[in-house]
Amino acid sequence: MTTTHADRTAALVAAAKSKSTRKTADAEQAIRRLLKRGERVTFQAVQREAGVSHAFLYNHAELRPRIERLRANPRPVGAATPPDSDNTLIHTLSQQIIELKKQHRTEVRALRDALEQAHGENLDLRRQLTRQGTATNHTASIAETS
């Protein structure tokens, strides 16, 4: 089987397009991760995060203006991430867990307070019984001697 120059060229072009598409996706994911962590989006940060070259980012028709725009308008640390279904679901469930933990702590604290009060009342009642038992025994011994 012989391959022609055109076939080899087409294969090289397809491989280059595939590599470019993969690197573009890596850069997009890197931008999202940087935004999610509240880090500043710069060409160097995207390059480091995605493992792509500066030249690739500067020469990319879609990535370059996006990075420049994000670099010009830095987000404050901890700013909310753009809503997407996974982040929204995770955020909602995390908030529910936080609320349930608060509710649990409040209920446990109330139960501990009630238990402590019950122990105190129980101690008071035991002391009263002891005093009444001693008084009854003392009264009985006085009655016997008379």
Side-chain angles (χ1 to χ4, degrees), residues 32-40 75-79 81:
R32 281 194 290 277
R33 285 192 303 267
L34 289 168
L35 289 171
K36 183 181 278 189
R37 292 192 307 248
E39 295 180 23
R40 190 153 185 245
R75 294 162 36 117
V77 175
T81 57

Side-chain angles (χ1 to χ4, degrees), residues 65-127:
R66 182 170 178 208
I67 294 170
E68 287 173 342
R69 180 176 43 82
L70 290 169
R71 183 178 64 179
N73 300 319
R75 294 162 36 117
V77 175
T81 57
D84 66 346
S85 61
D86 289 340
N87 282 345
T88 304
L89 179 61
I90 290 169
H91 180 72
T92 302
L93 292 175
S94 296
Q95 290 298 355
Q96 286 178 353
I97 289 171
I98 289 168
E99 289 301 317
L100 287 171
K101 283 182 177 180
K102 283 181 185 176
Q103 181 181 354
H104 179 258
R105 280 192 300 270
T106 303
E107 290 174 355
V108 167
R109 193 174 304 120
L111 288 171
R112 283 187 178 149
D113 290 345
L115 181 61
E116 186 177 320
Q117 184 178 358
H119 281 303
E121 290 173 4
N122 190 9
L123 182 61
D124 287 342
L125 291 172
R126 284 184 181 181
R127 286 179 182 159

Side-chain angles (χ1 to χ4, degrees), residues 1-14:
M1 223 163 75
T2 59
T3 57
T4 64
H5 178 62
D7 291 338
R8 287 191 306 263
T9 303
L12 286 174
V13 167

